[in-house]
Amino acid sequence: PQPNAPSRNVGSPRSTPYLVDKDDILDQHVGWYLRRNPEVRKVHSIARKEPGIYELDGREVQVEWQYSSRPGGQGFLVVVDGPLRQPFSDYMEDSERNAQYEGQDIGRSSLHQIPKEQRLSFNDTHKVYSRLEAMKVAKEQALYRERAANYVKDGKDIPNELMHKYKKSLQVKLGMNRQQQQRKMERQ
């Protein structure tokens, strides 16, 4: 079938095997889950309407892939049904486990959605800054911690260039190199 073609499962009885669209990796994951959980297939009717859109028990839902928050970790299918976002397996088992509703995490930055041990650290406790410089450094670090957290939350590694950009940005924010500034003061 074509990647945008409707599912061959439309109207098929719940007891028949789910026919996977081999050109759609997401649908392959849906099919894998249904093969591994035949008892779930028996109680739900599911049909792929188009990539990422399914009709499940008469409701149109979106199915997405959620990457692991840990680099190298395993991702999983997620169902988005109106304001509900839930792992596919929990949704299919009619469970409320891991259910999140739109607006539930308002005000929670990416940084607060990842474990503390995965957050970006700058290891600059030995550096001495003036009060103004310390505020500029703290602001810049917060900005780059949040950027790094976005990568981690999406299951990606933090690019090395991010720290390079941080250091360059910090030099700009603090003005000229501090050593140059001290030499200039000594000459005066």
Side-chain angles (χ1 to χ4, degrees):
Q2 299 291 333
N4 289 326
S7 172
R8 297 173 290 176
N9 295 297
V10 175
S12 63
R14 295 173 182 172
S15 60
T16 61
Y18 181 81
L19 301 173
V20 173
D21 181 337
K22 297 195 186 303
D23 295 326
D24 183 346
I25 189 76
L26 204 59
D27 198 45
Q28 290 176 32
H29 285 283
V30 169
W32 182 89
Y33 174 83
L34 294 171
R35 280 191 310 280
R36 296 290 184 274
N37 299 279
E39 69 286 353
V40 172
R41 173 74 173 133
K42 288 178 185 173
V43 295
H44 292 288
S45 66
I46 184 167
R48 176 185 174 274
K49 293 178 80 173
E50 60 185 75
I53 306 294
Y54 289 79
E55 187 168 309
L56 182 59
D57 297 333
R59 292 184 57 81
E60 186 174 286
V61 298
Q62 188 175 349
V63 176
E64 301 175 347
W65 184 256
Q66 175 70 50
Y67 292 94
S68 172
S69 60
R70 295 182 325 259
Q74 191 172 7
F76 54 93
L77 290 171
V78 172
V79 171
V80 178
D81 183 359
L84 171 67
R85 181 179 180 84
Q86 185 177 29
F88 186 80
S89 57
D90 293 337
Y91 187 91
M92 294 298 287
E93 293 165 15
D94 295 320
S95 166
E96 283 297 314
R97 281 188 320 264
N98 303 306
Q100 288 187 326
Y101 291 88
E102 197 173 290
Q104 201 173 28
D105 60 356
I106 287 178
R108 289 190 66 199
S109 68
S110 293
L111 181 66
H112 292 102
Q113 295 178 38
I114 63 170
K116 286 185 179 183
E117 62 273 4
Q118 292 182 341
R119 296 179 187 174
L120 184 62
S121 177
F122 294 92
N123 300 319
D124 64 349
T125 53
H126 63 281
K127 296 193 177 174
V128 179
Y129 297 110
S130 71
R131 192 171 183 171
L132 178 61
E133 288 172 333
M135 288 190 304
K136 289 178 180 179
V137 169
K139 182 180 175 184
E140 210 59 23
Q141 286 180 352
L143 178 70
Y144 279 87
R145 268 195 191 97
E146 184 66 25
R147 288 180 182 168
N150 283 326
Y151 284 102
V152 173
K153 189 180 87 172
D154 291 340
K156 299 175 185 172
D157 291 331
I158 300 170
N160 293 331
E161 67 188 47
L162 193 68
M163 280 304 284
H164 177 71
K165 287 179 180 179
Y166 160 75
K167 289 175 183 174
K168 196 169 191 165
S169 176
L170 196 57
Q171 285 180 341
V172 171
K173 299 283 182 191
L174 296 178
M176 68 175 98
N177 185 320
R178 292 182 74 214
Q179 289 177 347
Q180 289 176 342
Q181 199 175 34
Q182 285 176 344
R183 277 189 245 134
K184 190 176 180 182
M185 293 262 237
E186 289 170 4
R187 286 189 217 137
Q188 293 176 348

